[in-house]
Amino acid sequence: MKRLVILGAGTAGTMMANLMVKKLPKHEWELVIVDQNRTHYYQPGFLFLPFDIYQPEDVIKPINDFLPKRVKRIVAGIDRVEPKSNQVLLENGELITYDLLVIATGCNIAPEEVNGMMSDKWYKEVFDFYTYDGACALRKKLQTWEGGKLVIHITEMPIKCPVAPLEFAFLADAFFTEKGMRDKVDITFVTPLSGAFTKPVASKQLTYLLKEKNIKIVADFAIERVDSDNRKIHDYGGQEVDYDLLVTVPTNMGDPMVARSGFGNDLNYVPTDKCTLQSKVADNIFVIGDATDLPASKAGAVAHFEAEVMVENMMHFIEGKPMRFEFDGHSNCFIETGHGKALLIDFNYTHEPVEGSFPLGGFGPLKLLKETRMNHMGKLAFRWVYWNMLLKGVPIPFVPATMSHAGKDFSAIECD
Amino acid sequence: MTTTLAGKEVNVNAEGYMTDLNQWTKEIALEIAQQEEVTLNEKSWQVITWIQEQFKNEDALTIRKVGKSGVTDIKEFYELFPNGPLKKASKIAGIPKPVSCI
């Protein structure tokens, strides 16, 4: 009997378990998934928790509800992977050997990486919204906050769901407007990049949103420290920004298990072939989702597109055939702009987001890079798709793993 | 689109960042540095070489990474390339500007 071990039962790991169960014959393969948590979080929903659009119960379900019965479930922390001996050491001392390993341990925030970010003001005046606890704490804060300087801040790239901080700013504008207190709130968006939008087409199409919503931008801000006593953030170049309420996206890092295994990069991401998704650590280790070091977005949609490619490559690997399925960095996401509207973007490693229609070229019904109500409905409907189709590995109609060029307007940019 | 730098025609994007590192030369770097009002010294060239290596390895460039590079520290990086060092150093090194997905 051979054994496939999947580390992590989040979005990527759960999808892989569901897809591989269908591919691997029962009498030949045993499937094992390891995760210390019992709860599956719908992470895209964290953005909506602070603004009371979602309730906490909308974003949590038991992990076991989404795993096939055939998959053996181990609830334990992972100490390390030992690629040379094909085994995983668990924190409880148990050893599991594998023939094939999938690393899907994701990434998490590391606020301790910035001086002063973790202080006695954490979850009082300084918040994250990338964790369930952070989003719930912020939700409580916003219920009674009387206004002042709201600073939304990105520490450094790469981060999970790179547009979420901007969406947070848009939703905050709508939230305070609807509460009748927008005039009491000053919103500033602070980014280490050159602006809120960094790609030429998106920048040209979307910069109006910031003006319209009266959101100030501080760009090229590389944070050095948080001065939580005086409510200021400082950058290495001497810039400083005052806040009353700081909503920060701390440094994102891969799981400490990767560092303990000795094969991560400086942010604990696993070196991965960007086309085949095979690790550069060992041939029988594949990596998916936020755990990789790929130059693609860290997002559930990317994990979903990766899964389709990876399953085929893993089957070829098992059969000893060359891998020929290539991931193109395909990603898409809805961007909430507040007041019941959203944008949709679709892009890959080489193509930036452009205008057009999606998923059916020329027809839509969703519009790319345009604010519409339909896109917002799409984002809300996606929660159902996530729980009922995506995690279970049910193909999503009309949305292939590699990016379609149909119905898109690439005339505004040069393609290579 | 293309532009002429140091007497050579090179491919650039709308913001003037080179799109083909193979076309990069030291003379081109000097001309971009002049446009950006940056003076290059020996240390600057070491940083530029290190940045180009990161790009070739497809490693994302961040200020933190520069700080841990062993070539320079963050304070010195700001002195070498004042006002948005990552952006300016990338432009001079002939690699794309660090970006997000939109």
Side-chain angles (χ1 to χ4, degrees), chain B residues 74-87:
Chain B
I74 296 173
K75 195 166 167 273
E76 188 184 52
F77 187 45
Y78 268 87
E79 286 162 10
L80 295 173
F81 304 95
N83 307 320
L86 210 51
K87 209 165 59 166

Side-chain angles (χ1 to χ4, degrees), chain A residues 42-43 45-52 54 56 59 109 123 127-143 168 247:
Chain A
Y42 176 58
Q43 296 178 63
F46 291 174
L47 172 70
F48 295 120
L49 283 178
F51 304 110
D52 207 23
Y54 281 177
V59 303
I109 60 164
Y123 290 179
F127 294 81
D128 81 287
F129 68 98
Y130 271 46
T131 57
Y132 180 70
D133 290 348
C136 288
L138 188 52
R139 173 189 176 85
K140 219 171 154 190
K141 176 79 179 183
L142 290 186
Q143 282 167 2
F168 188 94
V247 177

Side-chain angles (χ1 to χ4, degrees), chain A residues 228-376:
Chain A
S228 59
D229 290 332
N230 297 304
R231 296 188 193 143
K232 278 179 199 294
I233 49 176
H234 295 265
D235 99 331
Y236 287 102
Q239 296 188 85
E240 54 178 63
V241 177
D242 291 315
Y243 66 83
D244 294 305
L245 177 57
L246 177 63
V247 177
T248 184
V249 180
T251 303
N252 279 202
M253 290 179 81
D255 197 279
M257 173 289 284
V258 176
R260 288 194 293 267
S261 304
F263 48 62
N265 68 10
D266 64 326
L267 289 170
N268 295 348
Y269 295 121
V270 184
T272 307
D273 185 289
K274 73 177 209 180
C275 294
T276 64
L277 305 170
Q278 190 176 36
S279 80
K280 294 175 183 170
V281 178
D283 289 350
N284 61 343
I285 302 179
F286 286 76
V287 198
I288 184 166
D290 298 347
T292 74
D293 71 342
L294 301 191
S297 290
K298 297 197 178 295
V302 175
H304 166 72
F305 296 133
E306 286 172 345
E308 288 186 35
V309 172
M310 202 162 116
V311 166
E312 298 305 328
N313 281 342
M314 283 170 63
M315 293 314 294
H316 276 225
F317 175 78
I318 290 168
E319 290 157 15
K321 294 183 198 157
M323 290 178 277
R324 58 187 175 84
F325 296 90
E326 293 200 347
F327 182 59
D328 68 352
H330 187 197
S331 179
N332 57 32
C333 75
F334 293 103
I335 303 170
E336 283 292 303
T337 54
H339 304 292
K341 288 187 182 175
L343 300 157
L344 176 65
I345 58 172
D346 194 47
F347 55 99
N348 67 10
Y349 285 139
T350 51
H351 289 85
E352 66 176 288
V354 292
E355 291 166 85
S357 46
F358 185 88
L360 300 175
F363 173 74
L366 303 174
K367 296 272 181 260
L368 294 167
L369 265 189
K370 290 259 193 297
E371 258 189 301
T372 67
R373 290 191 183 277
M374 185 69 123
N375 287 339
H376 171 68

